[in-house]
Amino acid sequence: MTAADDRPADATRAITAGRRANEGALTVPMWTSAVWESESAAAAAAGATAIRPERFYARHGNPTVGALCSAIAELEHAEDALAVGSGMAALSTVVLGLCSAGDHIVASRHCYAGTTALLAGPARRLGITTTFVDATRPGELAAAVRPGETTLVIVETPSNPLLGLVDLDEVGAITGPFTVVDSTFATPLGQRPLDHGVDIVMHSATKGIAGHNDVTLGVLAAEREIIDALWGFSILHGAVASPFDAMLTLRGLRTLDVRHERQSATALELARRLEAHPAITSVHHPGLESHPRHDLARTQLTRTGGLLSFELADPARWPGMVESLRLIRCATSLGGPETLVCQPSTTTHAALDSDDRAAIGITDGLIRMSVGLEAVDDLWADLIGALA
Ligand SMILES: *Cc1c(COP(=O)(O)O)cnc(C)c1O
């Protein structure tokens, strides 16, 4: 981590970031106007060619969305940030905005299934090829980079759904291609990829940042020059962030620190208890001593987060488990107040064939859990009841 130490603590910055002079209003107002009038012909002409104007036309920018962008930039220790319509919009803005036909990408094999699908499908169709590697193994990313040909290196850490960790110092040390980290599982309070020399950090703000399962939004943070270039593509790509979602995301950000702290503590406690349960063969969570990169978790993550996954000894018990759960819900998202479970092999990773799933360690017995804000003993009672 860099020495950034005149800055207030993250918990404080999550409260103060993205404030604007709003005539005394404590919250950022939601600007719904799709278009702004110009005071003169010269102002109209200037707006049309401005980079990231907030008061010209909604696809180009919006003051509510702009406030969220400044908050994200501050929390990620970035010069600037861009908000777009979803996490996938953030990813496709990076891939399609920075790569051309003939370019090569190195990506982690352990990623959100949509990321893998974008790279293996539309990107490949457009002549952008990807080499998938096991980025949790030291040196694999750098070894796959082809000088002069590789334009992007994309990793997700902690990864979905096995909570694998990639060494951010290793990603940051790669020179040549732009390096991109999907930091969704960590949230901006769990790790800071840019401090490790990574070029671009992205989040599905749909998850922990907004944090209430009522928003679809993506964010990117980087140097201003990169953000401006990504913005130039995003306004043509058109996956615009809505001001309503930006407002809710800013509100979510205000409580991110306490939510993240509580979710991290509950997830670790449940992970420990699950590890000792006879119906479970293994538990994946970076806070467990049994995690293969537990050492890295201790230095790279400020908190180990609310996600865990576990293997059922008997995968055939999953449907019955879903029926027995009373408090925990079966749903595929994460980072919200409700504790959710899902079976990745039949939901998030259903589009892969079973060999491809096996290659990345996704068995039928694997269950992912996003720990919410309920009391730990209520969650545990629900889990052991359903596992019985
Ligand atoms: C959900 C998710 C995405 C995609 O985000 P959307 O907001 O659903 O488009 C990308 N990466 C990770 C790690 C995710 O969890």
Side-chain angles (χ1 to χ4, degrees):
M1 309 255 158
T2 53
D5 304 326
D6 45 344
R7 277 189 269 237
D10 291 342
T12 304
R13 289 185 307 115
I15 306 302
T16 57
R19 302 272 176 188
R20 299 220 167 155
N22 296 313
E23 298 168 31
L26 273 182
T27 60
V28 174
M30 181 170 69
W31 291 94
T32 56
S33 189
V35 64
W36 302 74
E37 60 183 302
S38 303
E39 276 164 12
S40 65
T49 52
I51 294 179
R52 308 181 63 211
E54 286 186 0
R55 288 176 157 78
F56 176 66
Y57 183 67
R59 186 156 41 75
H60 291 212
N62 167 288
T64 312
V65 176
L68 171 67
C69 293
S70 24
I72 294 294
E74 188 176 334
L75 288 172
E76 287 291 355
H77 299 180
E79 217 169 46
D80 218 333
L82 178 69
V84 288
S86 66
M88 283 310 297
L91 187 80
S92 54
T93 294
V94 170
V95 172
L96 303 176
L98 298 181
C99 298
S100 306
D103 284 350
H104 174 246
I105 295 175
V106 175
S108 168
R109 189 175 284 146
H110 302 99
C111 268
Y112 184 71
T115 303
T116 312
L118 175 73
L119 297 174
R124 186 167 300 259
R125 176 168 54 76
L126 296 171
I128 303 160
T129 56
T130 301
T131 302
F132 292 96
V133 303
D134 182 353
T136 62
R137 299 229 297 257
E140 289 230 349
L141 285 169
V145 169
R146 303 177 193 156
E149 197 187 332
T150 306
T151 40
L152 273 185
V153 172
I154 303 176
V155 307
E156 184 176 306
T157 183
S159 72
N160 181 29
L162 288 166
L163 288 306
L165 294 188
V166 181
D167 188 336
L168 290 173
D169 285 334
E170 207 186 291
V171 183
I174 294 173
T175 52
F178 287 111
T179 50
V180 185
V181 169
D182 182 339
S183 197
T184 300
F185 274 31
T187 85
L189 299 187
Q191 68 189 7
R192 214 105 50 196
L194 303 186
D195 285 352
H196 297 261
V198 168
D199 297 312
I200 303 170
V201 59
M202 65 156 274
H203 293 269
S204 167
T206 312
K207 314 294 169 53
I209 298 179
H212 292 75
N213 290 324
D214 54 7
V215 160
T216 305
L217 203 82
V219 292
L220 292 158
E223 278 177 10
R224 179 153 305 127
E225 210 180 327
I226 298 176
I227 291 296
D228 286 348
L230 293 172
W231 170 82
F233 176 77
S234 77
I235 61 170
L236 305 176
H237 180 217
V240 185
S242 99
F244 183 52
D245 283 341
M247 182 192 73
L248 287 178
T249 302
L250 259 175
R251 188 173 72 166
L253 203 55
R254 304 299 180 218
T255 56
L256 176 58
D257 184 61
V258 286
R259 288 185 287 111
H260 193 239
E261 183 175 40
R262 171 72 169 269
Q263 288 171 338
S264 295
T266 308
L268 180 58
E269 179 60 27
L270 292 176
R272 291 218 163 98
R273 295 186 194 180
L274 284 166
E275 243 184 349
H277 194 285
I280 307 291
T281 55
S282 59
V283 182
H284 312 281
H285 180 70
L288 292 174
E289 289 72 16
S290 59
H291 188 281
R293 302 304 303 274
H294 181 61
D295 55 334
L296 184 61
R298 294 173 73 110
T299 55
Q300 186 163 290
L301 293 167
T302 58
R303 294 186 193 126
T304 45
L307 271 296
L308 62 98
S309 55
F310 55 87
E311 310 267 352
L312 292 173
D314 178 8
R317 290 174 83 163
W318 167 244
M321 203 182 146
V322 174
E323 280 181 25
S324 310
L325 289 169
R326 294 282 167 265
L327 174 61
I328 299 171
R329 325 251 154 171
C330 175
T332 55
S333 199
L334 56 107
E338 303 89 2
T339 296
L340 307 178
V341 285
C342 70
Q343 183 184 37
S345 67
T346 54
T347 56
T348 57
H349 290 71
L352 302 183
D353 66 40
S354 60
D355 287 349
D356 288 344
R357 277 199 299 272
I360 55 172
I362 299 178
T363 61
D364 289 340
L366 183 74
I367 306 303
R368 185 185 81 187
M369 182 154 130
S370 169
V371 175
L373 297 171
E374 305 90 338
V376 64
D377 288 329
D378 292 330
L379 292 170
W380 181 242
D382 201 30
L383 270 176
I384 48 172
L387 287 169

